[in-house]
Amino acid sequence: MSPDAKPTDFSAARIHETVHQVLTAGVLPAIVQAGNPVLRQLAAPFDGQVSDVELGQLIDLMRSVMHKAPGVGLAAPQLGIPLQLAVLEDQFDVDPEVAAARGREPLPFFAMLNPSYQPTDGSTVAFYEGCLSVNGLQAAVSRPESVRLEFTAPDGTRQQREFTGWQARIVQHETDHLHGILYLDRAELRSISSNAEYSARWAQPDISLARKELGFLPGV
């Protein structure tokens, strides 16, 4: 949880109303951008604020928004819903050299409620990240290389799974969203680049060139 994140003041009834509005709008909702307070709140733990049917519909809608963006994860607060729910999926075709350097393997779709994670060892690794709620920017973020995720599945079962490499990064990024944390809170500030500069200069498999030229993570 971010030191400055406060629990959402949305009641269960208001969360239900917000979900209902999103589901009945008839169009895919816009993704909330940085500066909106909903992204800086501790989202409410899911405890039945919506029915099983509505939850399934919301998960399907979030998956559609994620695919359209496109992205590899989307948290409910990014649709203006302060609820601890996120969807994750990574099926993109990636250059083999990039995939090997980043430990990036396909991540089958899943939805998680009330997640939390813990590193499984002391190793960390830094790569560039972006965010659907921070349009136009990329930045290098150091994160634990392997994590153990605990979450509730949509069917109500409590689960525990371990992730490594890029999958672990996605899990951490989306779980952070539910605790009022944006990736920029954890970023190496000197690494921040526009999408255009990132594509032109720093889109190598690793961050070694960017680290040298921009002057971040000295000694790594």
Side-chain angles (χ1 to χ4, degrees), residues 117 123-129 139-145 169 172 176 183 186-188 191 207 216-217 220:
Y117 64 83
S123 61
T124 62
V125 62
F127 288 109
Y128 268 88
E129 292 183 24
V141 184
S142 294
R143 292 191 185 272
E145 192 167 16
R169 184 169 294 270
Q172 293 171 75
D176 282 355
Y183 83 100
R186 304 188 185 279
E188 298 295 326
S191 74
I207 65 165
F216 63 91
L217 291 175
V220 174

